[in-house]
Amino acid sequence: SAAAAAFATNHLYGEKLSKADLILPATKAEEYVSGGFFADNTAPCLLGGATLTRSKLPFDVTKIGHIDNLRIILVTPDVIVLTREAREMLPDTVSLDGFINNMANSCLISAAFAKNDYDLFARSVNDVVIEPIRAQLIPGYAEVKENALKAGADGVAISGSGPTLFAITNHTNSRPFLIEDAMVRTFKKYGIGSRSIITEIDSVGTRLID
Amino acid sequence: SAAAAAFATNHLYGEKLSKADLILPATKAEEYVSGGFFADNTAPCLLGGATLTRSKLPFDVTKIGHIDNLRIILVTPDVIVLTREAREMLPDTVSLDGFINNMANSCLISAAFAKNDYDLFARSVNDVVIEPIRAQLIPGYAEVKENALKAGADGVAISGSGPTLFAITNHTNSRPFLIEDAMVRTFKKYGIGSRSIITEIDSVGTRLID
């Protein structure tokens, strides 16, 4: 919403700034709410596709690319996770093993978006550092993930600080709703309602809708 | 040399294996010497270009790409750094800040090789976690780096566990030898001889030379 507000404000004032120029103010606005200065939400919202950002100054946003053959199943359980709280849970240090592991997977994900390679992305969605911590905020997470994989997902992870999860599949999978269904039903087993949607990556970013 | 040995052995026995098949045995051989099971040396030697490897099993090597407009100045000071010792110096944990910082830069380097983007690579060569530790093994490192940058390098880092350093520039720089010179002279100031070479990335990998 920080990205949308920045985009709308800029439009009302006659589009004086480019979308890239809006990332810094939108990120400052988000910092006010989340307590962290990260452009991980604002930059992709504005630019579309996958972006990678060094939020530390000098502020540097790079559009990496996108994956055509990627279908995303988003499930948001009715659990409140405050971005600020989720960030405060993070440890001060990370094991060297976890560091190396996540580094390799993240670099491969980055290359996958640059090369438009779904398979490379799918076999790199594996976070051994942050996900196990944030999973604690989402009751039933392990079982939801397991059931999504059984239903045909190629990977499952928590989106940002949560509570939204995403599962991935590709366009050759004709029944992505089976994955959606498995996730929603598993949450229900834990007494948790959820909203869900099957979607794709927006490669355009913020735009006007009539 | 583990990569070269594997390549030569395979050649003598009639090229029964592909280069990709040789990575695992070559890496096992290197593990015997270095104490670490990492394909960070063997894979790029065999395949050429930039490769990214998950050394943990399942073993997974991805050829990322290469950067045409990249010139590398390699300087090896007469200092003995054993790979095994350099690995043992590494801390057990890494700060979350350092983790995030290195993750962003590494992902951008990966994207830079996938997109053949020298500028993106140059502004991402910045390791805040491992370099400061390994720099302790190389007398004068800080000053060598500073003088290389002053002489026109866009980035300087330690190659693997050291003691070889590399500085980068691009082909529009008509005087890369100024960088080489600055580095060699600075080491000399510290009483350390060195060998140096101005080179590029080999995008082919191991091959036969008549």
Side-chain angles (χ1 to χ4, degrees):
Chain A
S1 54
F7 181 77
T9 308
N10 186 47
H11 180 71
L12 291 173
Y13 283 90
E15 313 251 335
K16 287 186 183 133
L17 298 172
S18 75
K19 281 184 182 182
D21 292 333
L22 293 173
I23 299 171
L24 185 55
T27 307
K28 287 273 181 197
E30 198 197 309
E31 182 185 18
Y32 188 78
V33 180
S34 75
F37 179 64
F38 297 110
D40 56 346
N41 296 316
T42 52
C45 287
L46 286 160
L47 301 180
T51 63
L52 208 153
T53 307
R54 264 193 299 252
S55 296
K56 303 245 158 139
L57 302 171
F59 191 75
D60 182 11
V61 176
T62 305
K63 186 161 179 172
I64 306 286
H66 73 291
I67 297 174
D68 292 320
N69 194 17
L70 171 60
R71 195 176 257 160
I72 298 176
I73 296 102
L74 287 173
V75 179
T76 308
D78 294 339
V79 172
I80 292 172
V81 174
L82 297 176
T83 301
R84 185 188 291 267
E85 267 177 51
R87 283 191 179 143
E88 282 169 1
M89 281 181 79
L90 296 181
D92 293 332
T93 61
V94 168
S95 76
L96 188 66
D97 258 11
F99 171 65
I100 293 169
N101 214 304
N102 269 32
M103 184 87 82
N105 283 319
S106 301
C107 288
L108 290 172
I109 289 172
S110 177
F113 275 95
K115 294 156 83 93
N116 195 355
D117 183 340
Y118 175 81
D119 291 334
L120 181 57
F121 177 53
R123 67 176 193 269
S124 308
V125 175
N126 184 23
D127 168 6
V128 301
V129 176
I130 307 297
E131 183 180 306
I133 297 166
R134 290 192 164 155
Q136 298 167 28
L137 296 173
I138 303 170
Y141 178 72
E143 200 178 329
V144 171
K145 180 169 178 170
E146 193 189 327
N147 288 341
L149 294 171
K150 276 188 197 156
D154 293 317
V156 177
I158 301 170
S159 170
S161 56
T164 299
L165 319 183
F166 68 89
I168 62 168
T169 185
N170 63 22
H171 285 282
T172 58
N173 178 353
S174 58
R175 298 190 291 177
F177 57 85
L178 291 183
I179 301 167
E180 185 183 24
D181 225 53
M183 297 170 81
V184 169
R185 274 188 296 106
T186 311
F187 273 125
K188 197 169 281 171
K189 218 184 95 182
Y190 282 82
I192 297 169
S194 60
R195 285 158 294 144
S196 61
I197 186 174
I198 297 173
T199 185
E200 312 204 341
I201 286 193
D202 172 17
S203 63
V204 179
T206 47
R207 75 203 79 164
L208 286 176
I209 299 172
D210 289 334
Chain B
S1 56
F7 182 78
T9 307
N10 187 47
H11 180 71
L12 289 174
Y13 283 90
E15 312 252 336
K16 287 187 182 132
L17 299 172
S18 73
K19 281 184 182 181
D21 292 333
L22 293 174
I23 299 172
L24 185 56
T27 306
K28 287 271 181 198
E30 198 197 307
E31 180 185 18
Y32 187 79
V33 181
S34 75
F37 179 64
F38 297 109
D40 56 346
N41 297 317
T42 51
C45 286
L46 285 160
L47 302 179
T51 63
L52 207 151
T53 307
R54 264 192 300 253
S55 297
K56 302 244 159 139
L57 302 169
F59 191 74
D60 181 10
V61 176
T62 305
K63 186 160 178 173
I64 306 286
H66 72 291
I67 297 174
D68 292 319
N69 194 18
L70 171 61
R71 194 176 257 160
I72 297 176
I73 297 101
L74 287 174
V75 180
T76 308
D78 293 338
V79 171
I80 292 172
V81 173
L82 298 176
T83 302
R84 186 187 290 266
E85 267 177 48
R87 284 191 178 145
E88 282 170 0
M89 282 182 78
L90 296 181
D92 294 331
T93 61
V94 169
S95 76
L96 188 66
D97 259 11
F99 171 63
I100 292 170
N101 214 304
N102 269 33
M103 184 86 83
N105 283 320
S106 301
C107 288
L108 290 172
I109 289 173
S110 177
F113 276 95
K115 294 155 82 94
N116 196 355
D117 183 340
Y118 174 81
D119 292 334
L120 181 57
F121 178 54
R123 66 177 194 269
S124 307
V125 176
N126 184 23
D127 168 6
V128 301
V129 176
I130 306 298
E131 183 181 306
I133 296 166
R134 290 193 164 154
Q136 298 166 29
L137 296 173
I138 303 169
Y141 178 72
E143 199 176 329
V144 171
K145 181 169 179 172
E146 193 190 327
N147 288 342
L149 294 171
K150 275 187 197 156
D154 293 318
V156 177
I158 300 170
S159 170
S161 57
T164 301
L165 319 183
F166 67 90
I168 62 167
T169 185
N170 63 23
H171 284 283
T172 58
N173 178 353
S174 59
R175 297 191 291 177
F177 57 85
L178 291 183
I179 299 168
E180 184 183 25
D181 224 54
M183 295 169 81
V184 169
R185 274 189 294 105
T186 310
F187 273 124
K188 196 169 282 172
K189 219 184 93 180
Y190 282 81
I192 299 169
S194 59
R195 286 159 293 144
S196 60
I197 185 173
I198 297 172
T199 185
E200 313 205 340
I201 285 193
D202 172 18
S203 62
V204 178
T206 46
R207 76 204 78 165
L208 286 177
I209 300 172
D210 289 333

